[in-house]
Short mmCIF file of all heavy atoms in Angstrom, two decimals:
data_model
loop_
_atom_site.label_atom_id
_atom_site.label_comp_id
_atom_site.label_asym_id
_atom_site.label_seq_id
_atom_site.Cartn_x
_atom_site.Cartn_y
_atom_site.Cartn_z
N MET A 828 4.94 -5.95 23.56
CA MET A 828 4.88 -6.58 22.25
C MET A 828 6.24 -7.06 21.77
O MET A 828 6.35 -7.77 20.81
CB MET A 828 4.31 -5.61 21.22
CG MET A 828 2.83 -5.40 21.32
SD MET A 828 2.20 -4.34 20.00
CE MET A 828 2.40 -5.45 18.60
N SER A 853 -15.58 -18.34 27.79
CA SER A 853 -16.23 -18.71 29.04
C SER A 853 -16.88 -20.10 28.93
O SER A 853 -17.53 -20.40 27.93
CB SER A 853 -17.29 -17.68 29.39
OG SER A 853 -18.19 -18.19 30.36
N TYR A 860 -20.13 -27.43 23.40
CA TYR A 860 -19.13 -27.70 22.35
C TYR A 860 -17.90 -28.36 22.96
O TYR A 860 -17.22 -27.77 23.81
CB TYR A 860 -18.74 -26.40 21.66
CG TYR A 860 -19.94 -25.57 21.24
CD1 TYR A 860 -20.14 -24.30 21.74
CD2 TYR A 860 -20.88 -26.09 20.35
CE1 TYR A 860 -21.25 -23.55 21.38
CE2 TYR A 860 -21.99 -25.35 19.98
CZ TYR A 860 -22.17 -24.08 20.49
OH TYR A 860 -23.27 -23.34 20.14
N ALA A 875 -9.19 -16.59 8.49
CA ALA A 875 -9.53 -16.92 7.10
C ALA A 875 -9.64 -15.66 6.25
O ALA A 875 -9.24 -15.65 5.08
CB ALA A 875 -10.85 -17.70 7.06
N PRO A 894 -0.05 -26.90 13.13
CA PRO A 894 -0.38 -27.32 14.50
C PRO A 894 -0.08 -26.24 15.54
O PRO A 894 -0.76 -26.15 16.55
CB PRO A 894 0.48 -28.57 14.71
CG PRO A 894 1.55 -28.50 13.66
CD PRO A 894 0.94 -27.79 12.50
N LEU A 902 -7.25 -25.80 19.73
CA LEU A 902 -8.09 -26.54 18.80
C LEU A 902 -7.42 -27.88 18.47
O LEU A 902 -6.39 -27.91 17.80
CB LEU A 902 -8.29 -25.74 17.50
CG LEU A 902 -9.16 -26.38 16.43
CD1 LEU A 902 -10.61 -26.42 16.87
CD2 LEU A 902 -9.03 -25.62 15.11
N GLN A 909 -17.91 -29.09 9.96
CA GLN A 909 -18.20 -28.58 11.31
C GLN A 909 -18.12 -27.06 11.34
O GLN A 909 -18.96 -26.40 11.97
CB GLN A 909 -17.23 -29.19 12.32
CG GLN A 909 -17.48 -30.66 12.63
CD GLN A 909 -16.39 -31.24 13.50
OE1 GLN A 909 -15.21 -31.24 13.14
NE2 GLN A 909 -16.77 -31.73 14.67
N ARG A 912 -21.29 -25.61 9.72
CA ARG A 912 -22.46 -25.67 10.60
C ARG A 912 -22.37 -24.63 11.71
O ARG A 912 -23.34 -23.94 12.02
CB ARG A 912 -22.60 -27.07 11.20
CG ARG A 912 -23.09 -28.12 10.24
CD ARG A 912 -23.54 -29.37 10.97
NE ARG A 912 -22.44 -29.96 11.76
CZ ARG A 912 -21.58 -30.85 11.30
NH1 ARG A 912 -21.67 -31.26 10.04
NH2 ARG A 912 -20.64 -31.34 12.07
N ASP A 916 -24.74 -21.30 13.03
CA ASP A 916 -25.41 -21.36 14.33
C ASP A 916 -24.92 -20.29 15.30
O ASP A 916 -25.57 -20.04 16.32
CB ASP A 916 -25.19 -22.73 14.98
CG ASP A 916 -25.86 -23.86 14.19
OD1 ASP A 916 -26.84 -23.55 13.46
OD2 ASP A 916 -25.42 -25.01 14.29
N LEU A 950 -15.00 13.14 10.29
CA LEU A 950 -16.15 12.85 9.43
C LEU A 950 -16.66 11.44 9.72
O LEU A 950 -15.88 10.55 10.07
CB LEU A 950 -15.76 12.94 7.96
CG LEU A 950 -15.22 14.27 7.43
CD1 LEU A 950 -14.86 14.12 5.96
CD2 LEU A 950 -16.24 15.38 7.62
N SER A 955 -24.12 2.16 1.75
CA SER A 955 -24.34 0.71 1.80
C SER A 955 -23.71 0.06 0.59
O SER A 955 -23.50 0.70 -0.45
CB SER A 955 -25.83 0.39 1.85
OG SER A 955 -26.47 0.77 0.64
N SER A 987 -8.22 10.91 9.72
CA SER A 987 -7.18 11.69 9.05
C SER A 987 -7.35 11.48 7.56
O SER A 987 -8.19 10.70 7.11
CB SER A 987 -5.79 11.24 9.50
OG SER A 987 -5.45 9.98 8.93
N PRO A 998 -26.49 -5.06 8.98
CA PRO A 998 -26.80 -5.99 7.89
C PRO A 998 -28.30 -5.97 7.59
O PRO A 998 -29.11 -5.72 8.48
CB PRO A 998 -26.38 -7.35 8.46
CG PRO A 998 -25.62 -7.06 9.71
CD PRO A 998 -26.11 -5.75 10.22
N PHE A 1042 -24.23 17.74 9.55
CA PHE A 1042 -24.27 16.87 8.38
C PHE A 1042 -24.12 17.67 7.10
O PHE A 1042 -24.39 18.87 7.04
CB PHE A 1042 -25.58 16.05 8.35
CG PHE A 1042 -26.84 16.86 8.26
CD1 PHE A 1042 -27.31 17.35 7.04
CD2 PHE A 1042 -27.58 17.14 9.41
CE1 PHE A 1042 -28.48 18.09 6.96
CE2 PHE A 1042 -28.75 17.88 9.34
CZ PHE A 1042 -29.21 18.35 8.12
N ILE A 1046 -29.27 15.92 -1.68
CA ILE A 1046 -30.72 15.71 -1.69
C ILE A 1046 -31.23 15.53 -3.12
O ILE A 1046 -30.58 15.92 -4.09
CB ILE A 1046 -31.47 16.89 -1.02
CG1 ILE A 1046 -31.21 18.21 -1.77
CG2 ILE A 1046 -31.09 17.00 0.45
CD1 ILE A 1046 -32.09 19.36 -1.32
N TYR A 1093 -25.19 19.00 -8.13
CA TYR A 1093 -25.21 18.48 -6.76
C TYR A 1093 -25.93 19.50 -5.88
O TYR A 1093 -25.58 20.69 -5.87
CB TYR A 1093 -23.79 18.26 -6.22
CG TYR A 1093 -23.07 17.11 -6.88
CD1 TYR A 1093 -22.51 17.25 -8.16
CD2 TYR A 1093 -22.96 15.88 -6.26
CE1 TYR A 1093 -21.86 16.20 -8.77
CE2 TYR A 1093 -22.31 14.81 -6.86
CZ TYR A 1093 -21.77 14.98 -8.12
OH TYR A 1093 -21.13 13.93 -8.72
N GLY A 1153 -10.23 -4.45 10.97
CA GLY A 1153 -9.82 -3.68 12.14
C GLY A 1153 -8.54 -4.21 12.75
O GLY A 1153 -7.69 -3.44 13.21
N THR A 1162 2.42 -0.66 15.19
CA THR A 1162 3.80 -0.72 14.69
C THR A 1162 4.27 0.61 14.11
O THR A 1162 5.42 0.75 13.72
CB THR A 1162 3.93 -1.80 13.61
OG1 THR A 1162 3.01 -1.53 12.55
CG2 THR A 1162 3.66 -3.19 14.18
N LYS A 1166 3.48 2.29 5.81
CA LYS A 1166 2.88 1.65 4.65
C LYS A 1166 1.37 1.91 4.63
O LYS A 1166 0.74 2.03 5.67
CB LYS A 1166 3.11 0.14 4.69
CG LYS A 1166 4.53 -0.31 4.42
CD LYS A 1166 4.60 -1.83 4.46
CE LYS A 1166 6.00 -2.33 4.15
NZ LYS A 1166 6.37 -2.13 2.76
N LEU A 1172 -1.05 -5.28 4.77
CA LEU A 1172 -1.71 -6.58 4.84
C LEU A 1172 -1.01 -7.60 3.94
O LEU A 1172 -0.88 -8.77 4.31
CB LEU A 1172 -3.19 -6.44 4.44
CG LEU A 1172 -4.00 -7.74 4.39
CD1 LEU A 1172 -4.01 -8.45 5.74
CD2 LEU A 1172 -5.43 -7.47 3.92
N LEU A 1174 2.14 -7.74 3.24
CA LEU A 1174 3.34 -8.19 3.95
C LEU A 1174 2.96 -9.13 5.09
O LEU A 1174 3.65 -10.13 5.35
CB LEU A 1174 4.10 -6.98 4.49
CG LEU A 1174 5.50 -7.28 5.04
CD1 LEU A 1174 6.45 -7.66 3.90
CD2 LEU A 1174 6.06 -6.07 5.80
N GLN A 1202 21.13 9.91 -14.48
CA GLN A 1202 22.17 9.59 -15.44
C GLN A 1202 21.72 10.04 -16.83
O GLN A 1202 20.53 10.10 -17.12
CB GLN A 1202 22.42 8.07 -15.45
CG GLN A 1202 22.77 7.51 -14.09
CD GLN A 1202 24.13 7.95 -13.62
OE1 GLN A 1202 25.09 7.98 -14.41
NE2 GLN A 1202 24.24 8.30 -12.36
N GLU A 1215 14.73 -18.32 -31.16
CA GLU A 1215 15.55 -19.51 -30.90
C GLU A 1215 14.67 -20.75 -30.91
O GLU A 1215 13.48 -20.69 -30.61
CB GLU A 1215 16.26 -19.38 -29.55
CG GLU A 1215 17.25 -18.21 -29.52
CD GLU A 1215 17.99 -18.15 -28.21
OE1 GLU A 1215 17.82 -19.08 -27.39
OE2 GLU A 1215 18.74 -17.19 -28.00
N GLY A 1216 15.28 -21.86 -31.20
CA GLY A 1216 14.57 -23.13 -31.20
C GLY A 1216 13.75 -23.31 -32.46
O GLY A 1216 13.68 -22.45 -33.34
N ILE A 1221 7.52 -19.31 -37.36
CA ILE A 1221 7.88 -17.90 -37.50
C ILE A 1221 7.74 -17.49 -38.95
O ILE A 1221 8.30 -18.12 -39.85
CB ILE A 1221 9.34 -17.64 -37.05
CG1 ILE A 1221 9.60 -18.26 -35.68
CG2 ILE A 1221 9.63 -16.14 -37.07
CD1 ILE A 1221 8.71 -17.69 -34.58
#
Side-chain angles (χ1 to χ4, degrees):
M828 286 184 70
S853 163
Y860 312 119
L902 181 70
Q909 287 173 301
R912 286 195 301 271
D916 294 336
L950 300 178
S955 66
S987 73
F1042 61 82
I1046 61 170
Y1093 290 78
T1162 57
K1166 289 181 178 290
L1172 176 59
L1174 190 69
Q1202 304 290 318
E1215 296 183 6
I1221 310 299

